[in-house]
Amino acid sequence: MKKTGNGPNIGFIFRDTPESRSEAFFAAELVRHFGQSVLYVFIDVGSDPMEDQDLLVEEEQGIIRTIQQWIGTKSYGLMRFTILRIDLKTYAIPKNMLVISNEFGNMRKEANVLSPAYEGTLCARGEGEVLIPLGTRDSALRTVEIGLPLIAAMGFEKVVFYHTTFRDKSVMSDDPSDHMNESAREILESAEEAADQLGLFHRSIPAMDTDVARGINLAAQRISSPLILMGYGDKIWFGWYPDALRKITLVPVMTIGRY
Amino acid sequence: MDRMKQKVSWFQTPTGAMTAILIMYLIMVPGKMIPGLMFHSPLLEADAWHQTSDILTAILILLGVQVGNSGKTKEHIWGKSGIEPFISLGIGLSLGFLALYEIGLKSVFGIILVVSPGSLEQIKVIPFLPIPELVVMETTPRLISALVMGVSALVLFRMSRFQIGVGKKYARRLIEDDGEETASDGRLDALAFAGILLQVFIPSFGWIEYLCGLGMAWLMLGTAKGIVTDAWKKINHAALDAETTEFISGIVNRHPGILGFTVQSYWIATCMVVEIKAIRPRLTEGLKDVRQALTEQIGTFLEERGHKEYRVRVRFEEQPFHEDRVAYLISERNGREIVGGTVSDLMRVLICDRRDSTIFRGREEETTPEEIGALLLEKRIGSFNVFCLNDVDLRMFEDCLDGTKIPVVQAPSFRLNIVGIRNSDALAA
C-alpha cells in the first residue's frame, strides 16, 4: 500500500468498550497512512444533549486522554482530535467522511463506513487484492464512482471485480461468465474502465452462488483479500447484502452509502 | 469382473506376507540348527540363533500391523498406524546392532585370528565378545553347510522382494523396512555360502569371508541408519522442513480474523498431516469459509511441492474470555443520571460484571463513603470507576478506599451509554 494524502476524513464512534478501542486504533492508523492530522471522534449524545459546560469540557479532556492511551504515544504530538457530539441516528454524515465502525453500517445506510471486523490495521497481513462485488446497477454505480477512487486514494493497486449471477437455464455451459446478462456485462465493463482510469490492476471473477454473502466471503478468503468494497443499492428485498456479509465475514468491509 | 480383478491372495496382504515370513523363519531355524549341531558348524548354529530373533521381530510386526489396521476412530482416522514408526525404529536399531556386533566385530576378530591365530587368547575371557571359532571341518559337512546357506540365501532374497513389494503396495513402511532386514540376512547367508565354498576348494582363503563380512556390515549399517532416521523423523512429527512450515505460516497469516496460530506437521502412515491450530474471534458462521480457503491454498502449495498424499486439518480455538468485576459511581446531576460525582454524592454504586471489558450484568448497591471500602472488598471489585471533575475529587475517592488496594479509575465520560452501561442488554432490561 503506497502512501497517499488524498484520503477522506476518518472518524470513529467513541465508547469506553474494547470494540471502540480497536476501531480507534484502526482509524488512527488510517489517518497516519493518509498523512492527515485530524481524527474525528463521534460521541453519541442522542436527542438530549447535556449543557453543563463543566462536564462537557472535562469529558472532552477525558476522552482525548483515553484515546491517546489506546492508540499509543507515537501519535501524541502528531494527531489532533475533533470531537463531534451528535445524534448517531439523525446526523448527516458528510460524503467525504469514512466512519470506522463495525455497528454503524447496520444502523445507517447514508454513510461511508469501514467495518474493520477483527483487524488491527488495514493491510497488516500484507498487500492484496481488494474484492469488489458488483451487484445491481445502482449499488455498482456507487461502488465504482465513489468507492474506486477511495480505494485508489488508500493506496491499493489491485482489485478483483466479483459478480454473482443467476443460472440462465437456456445456457448449457458451467462457466458463470456465460450466464451473465447484458446489464451485468455493461456494469463490469464500466467498472473495468474506471479502474483503468485510476491506474488499478484488475481482474474479474464471475460466480454462481446460491448464498451470495457466503460466496463473497469465500472468494475474499480464497484471494486473502485485505478489504471488501460494496455499495448499498436503492431497493431492498430481503435485507442488504453488505449487512449479511458483515455478519459472517472476518474481512474488513467498506460500504458506500446511499447519498 | 471388477470384483474378480480386485481379489487378492491373502498372502499378498500385509498380515499374510508377515505370516509367510514367520512360517519361513520357523522352518529355517531348525533347518540350520540341526545340521549345525550335527556337524559342529558354528556358522550354521550362529545363524540359527540370529534367525530366532527374526521370529520375534516378525511376531512384533504382525502385532503392529494388526494394531495399525484396527481402531479407526475420530481421533485415529487412519487407524492406530502411528505405532509403526516405533517398530521401524526397533528394526533399524537391531539391524545396526547386528551389523556392528554380530558381523562387523566378528569379522575383525576373524581376520585377526586368521592372520595371527594365538593373538586373541588373552581377550577371550571377556564375555559377550563375538570371537569366531576356527573349526576345521570335513569336506562333506562343509558342502552340506554351504548347500543349506545357499538355499537359505535364495529363499531370503526371494521373500525379501515379496515383502518389500507388499509393503510398497499397501504403503506400510514397517513391512518394507523388515524386507530390507530380510535382504540383509540373505546377503549374509550368501556371503557365508561363498566363504564355505571357498574354504572347500582353497582352504588358505578362509580370511576372505571375514573381509567380505566387513563390507557387508558397512552396507547394513547404511540401511539401518536410513530406517532409524526415517522412523525418528516420523516420531518427532517433522514432516515438513522449516522453510515449508514458514511458507504455510505466511499463507495462514494472510487470512483476516486469525488472531494467532501454530502450524504442526506429522506423518500418519504415508500420509502427511498439516495441522493448523488457530485462535479465532467469537464468530462461528464465517469460519467455514476460512477453513475451506485455507485447506485449498495449503493443498495447492503442497501439491506444487510434490506432496501427493496429504491432509490439511484446520482447528479453531475460541479466544478465551477475560472476566472481571468493576464498580461505577452513579449519581444525579441536573435531574439526569450520570457516571461520577463527588464523595458527597456517594450513595449508590453500580457493580458490573464484565466479559472482555464489556459489561454484561450489573446491580446497584447502596453505600456511604465510610462503608464503600468494605463493600467493594466484599464484592471482590477490581476497580472503582468514576468520572471526576478534578484531581482533588479523585484523591478524596482514593482516601475512601485507602487500605483496600482497589484502584480508582477515571472514567472518560459521564454518559452511561459512552462508558458501556446502557449498551448492555442485561442492564437495559
Side-chain angles (χ1 to χ4, degrees):
Chain A
M1 236 168 105
K2 62 189 176 197
K3 281 212 166 189
T4 166
N6 306 320
N9 293 330
I10 308 293
F12 81 102
I13 299 156
F14 177 84
R15 282 197 186 99
D16 191 15
T17 59
E19 288 79 20
S20 184
R21 174 192 286 237
S22 52
E23 286 162 9
F25 189 81
F26 195 97
E29 283 292 314
L30 262 187
V31 169
R32 244 177 259 171
H33 175 73
F34 287 128
Q36 296 167 345
S37 58
V38 182
L39 174 61
Y40 291 85
V41 182
F42 298 109
I43 302 172
D44 184 17
V45 296
S47 55
D48 179 27
M50 173 74 100
E51 290 181 0
D52 187 329
Q53 282 306 311
D54 286 351
L55 282 180
L56 294 180
V57 170
E58 184 64 25
E59 183 185 51
E60 199 155 305
Q61 288 171 357
I63 287 172
I64 290 172
R65 239 186 343 257
T66 305
I67 297 171
Q68 282 175 334
Q69 282 171 2
W70 284 355
I71 64 177
T73 50
K74 273 192 290 182
S75 316
Y76 273 21
L78 306 169
M79 202 172 288
R80 286 186 291 116
F81 303 95
T82 300
I83 293 181
L84 301 170
R85 297 168 197 281
I86 60 164
D87 181 358
L88 279 182
K89 286 179 187 153
T90 56
Y91 179 73
I93 304 282
K95 212 174 179 179
N96 66 339
M97 176 70 74
L98 183 62
V99 181
I100 310 300
S101 171
N102 281 324
E103 295 293 326
F104 191 58
N106 297 329
M107 191 199 294
R108 296 283 299 274
K109 313 299 172 201
E110 305 83 19
N112 300 329
V113 179
L114 200 163
S115 309
Y118 297 88
E119 292 301 281
T121 61
L122 206 57
C123 291
R125 298 170 192 271
E127 289 177 34
E129 297 168 303
V130 177
L131 188 79
I132 306 179
L134 296 171
T136 52
R137 183 172 289 277
D138 47 341
S139 66
L141 204 68
R142 285 192 183 102
T143 310
V144 171
E145 280 184 1
I146 305 168
L148 268 187
L150 264 177
I151 289 295
M154 282 175 163
F156 286 105
E157 291 168 346
K158 293 174 192 168
V159 294
V160 175
F161 295 113
Y162 184 80
H163 188 90
T164 309
T165 184
F166 293 108
R167 181 177 278 276
D168 183 348
K169 286 178 183 169
S170 63
V171 179
M172 293 302 288
S173 163
D174 282 335
D175 183 356
S177 59
D178 295 337
H179 295 262
M180 284 169 72
N181 59 23
E182 269 312 302
S183 170
R185 284 180 207 282
E186 279 173 23
I187 290 169
L188 184 62
E189 276 169 23
S190 64
E192 287 173 338
E193 206 174 296
D196 283 334
Q197 282 173 3
L198 290 162
L200 295 167
F201 295 100
H202 58 84
R203 64 187 175 106
S204 61
I205 303 176
M208 288 186 288
D209 300 316
T210 46
D211 183 339
V212 175
R214 199 176 160 219
I216 294 169
N217 186 36
L218 184 58
Q221 290 287 353
R222 276 182 173 148
I223 62 168
S224 302
S225 177
L227 182 68
I228 301 171
L229 169 69
M230 285 183 94
Y232 277 105
D234 289 335
K235 290 177 187 169
I236 176 167
W237 299 101
F238 301 104
W240 308 96
Y241 283 134
D243 292 355
L245 178 66
R246 248 195 301 261
K247 273 183 195 163
I248 62 164
T249 192
L250 296 166
V251 183
V253 179
M254 186 159 82
T255 49
I256 304 303
R258 297 189 301 161
Y259 285 104
Chain B
M1 190 69 185
D2 282 346
R3 219 179 247 182
M4 281 179 72
K5 270 184 190 172
Q6 285 167 6
K7 201 173 178 183
V8 178
S9 158
W10 180 76
F11 278 106
Q12 284 171 329
T13 63
T15 311
M18 283 318 296
T19 309
I21 294 291
L22 185 63
I23 294 169
M24 176 194 78
Y25 281 130
L26 285 173
I27 296 169
M28 229 173 232
V29 168
K32 284 178 182 173
M33 189 67 86
I34 294 165
L37 290 170
M38 274 173 62
F39 304 128
H40 306 287
S41 165
L43 201 66
L44 282 178
E45 268 184 58
D47 207 34
W49 281 118
H50 160 61
Q51 286 186 343
T52 311
S53 70
D54 288 337
I55 291 175
L56 294 174
T57 311
I59 292 169
L60 204 65
I61 293 169
L62 252 178
L63 287 173
V65 168
Q66 290 303 316
V67 173
N69 284 343
S70 70
K72 290 190 179 180
T73 61
K74 203 177 174 186
E75 288 77 29
H76 301 94
I77 47 176
W78 286 276
K80 290 162 185 164
S81 49
I83 196 172
E84 293 189 3
F86 291 95
I87 299 174
S88 281
L89 188 70
I91 294 171
L93 288 174
S94 66
L95 194 63
F97 177 76
L98 186 73
L100 278 175
Y101 181 81
E102 184 80 15
I103 301 163
L105 203 55
K106 203 172 195 172
S107 300
V108 170
F109 287 138
I111 291 168
I112 295 171
L113 272 180
V114 169
V115 175
S116 166
S119 59
L120 295 177
E121 286 303 318
Q122 284 178 339
I123 62 163
K124 260 188 176 176
V125 290
I126 301 170
F128 306 116
L129 274 185
I131 299 171
E133 292 283 340
L134 289 181
V135 180
V136 182
M137 280 198 292
E138 295 299 318
T139 308
T140 311
R142 268 188 181 163
L143 279 174
I144 292 170
S145 299
L147 186 70
V148 170
M149 288 310 233
V151 172
S152 168
L154 282 175
V155 172
L156 285 168
F157 281 140
R158 180 70 195 88
M159 288 306 276
S160 75
R161 279 175 57 194
F162 163 68
Q163 212 180 345
I164 291 169
V166 172
K168 278 188 175 156
K169 187 178 171 187
Y170 286 88
R172 304 302 284 263
R173 189 61 202 258
L174 181 66
I175 296 172
E176 269 187 78
D177 290 346
D178 194 54
E180 291 291 345
E181 211 261 344
T182 310
S184 293
D185 285 350
R187 282 184 216 117
L188 274 180
D189 285 8
L191 197 72
F193 168 73
I196 296 167
L197 268 191
L198 211 63
Q199 282 172 3
V200 169
F201 297 110
I202 317 166
S204 60
F205 269 40
W207 55 270
I208 208 162
E209 179 190 347
Y210 299 113
L211 205 62
C212 292
L214 273 182
M216 191 59 63
W218 182 252
L219 286 178
M220 281 171 73
L221 266 180
T223 311
K225 190 189 164 197
I227 293 172
V228 168
T229 315
D230 207 29
W232 189 246
K233 270 186 189 170
K234 285 179 186 174
I235 289 166
N236 271 334
H237 295 180
L240 289 174
D241 56 53
E243 188 197 350
T244 313
T245 308
E246 202 179 316
F247 201 91
I248 290 175
S249 298
I251 294 174
V252 182
N253 199 33
R254 287 182 70 84
H255 284 263
I258 292 178
L259 305 175
F261 64 90
T262 55
V263 179
Q264 274 190 321
S265 60
Y266 50 88
W267 293 96
I268 293 182
T270 54
C271 183
M272 180 204 282
V273 182
V274 178
E275 188 169 292
I276 316 290
K277 281 184 191 166
I279 298 171
R280 63 170 174 86
R282 281 175 209 93
L283 179 101
T284 48
E285 223 176 320
L287 288 174
K288 282 185 283 184
D289 300 330
V290 183
R291 182 178 280 120
Q292 188 177 334
L294 263 177
T295 309
E296 285 172 6
Q297 287 178 352
I298 295 171
T300 310
F301 169 70
L302 289 175
E303 277 169 23
E304 279 169 8
R305 291 259 168 148
H307 297 286
K308 286 176 187 165
E309 207 181 334
Y310 63 84
R311 188 184 164 102
V312 181
R313 301 172 88 179
V314 183
R315 293 162 68 174
F316 288 105
E317 285 172 16
E318 200 173 76
Q319 197 182 13
F321 280 120
H322 170 71
E323 289 193 0
D324 63 351
R325 181 176 280 180
V326 295
Y328 287 91
L329 169 63
I330 306 290
S331 63
E332 276 190 17
R333 186 149 176 158
N334 300 333
R336 180 183 179 148
E337 207 171 45
I338 63 164
V339 173
T342 61
V343 173
S344 58
D345 298 319
L346 192 53
M347 290 169 72
R348 59 194 173 106
V349 289
L350 182 67
I351 293 172
C352 299
D353 288 322
R354 299 194 305 187
R355 189 173 284 152
D356 283 348
S357 306
T358 301
I359 299 165
F360 69 97
R361 189 168 56 200
R363 65 175 177 281
E364 289 189 355
E365 295 276 346
E366 290 193 357
T367 186
T368 62
E370 292 76 31
E371 291 170 354
I372 187 167
L375 174 76
L376 298 189
L377 273 180
E378 185 198 325
K379 299 290 179 189
R380 297 174 187 275
I381 300 297
S383 65
F384 180 56
N385 290 255
V386 60
F387 179 78
C388 294
L389 280 179
N390 54 53
D391 290 344
V392 179
D393 287 338
L394 194 67
R395 249 173 260 127
M396 284 171 78
F397 281 114
E398 283 170 348
D399 290 343
C400 287
L401 298 179
D402 195 24
T404 63
K405 291 185 180 173
I406 297 170
V408 179
V409 175
Q410 170 85 281
S413 171
F414 59 87
R415 293 170 216 274
L416 272 63
N417 65 324
I418 300 292
V419 296
I421 290 174
R422 284 290 176 263
N423 297 328
S424 158
D425 292 340
L427 290 173

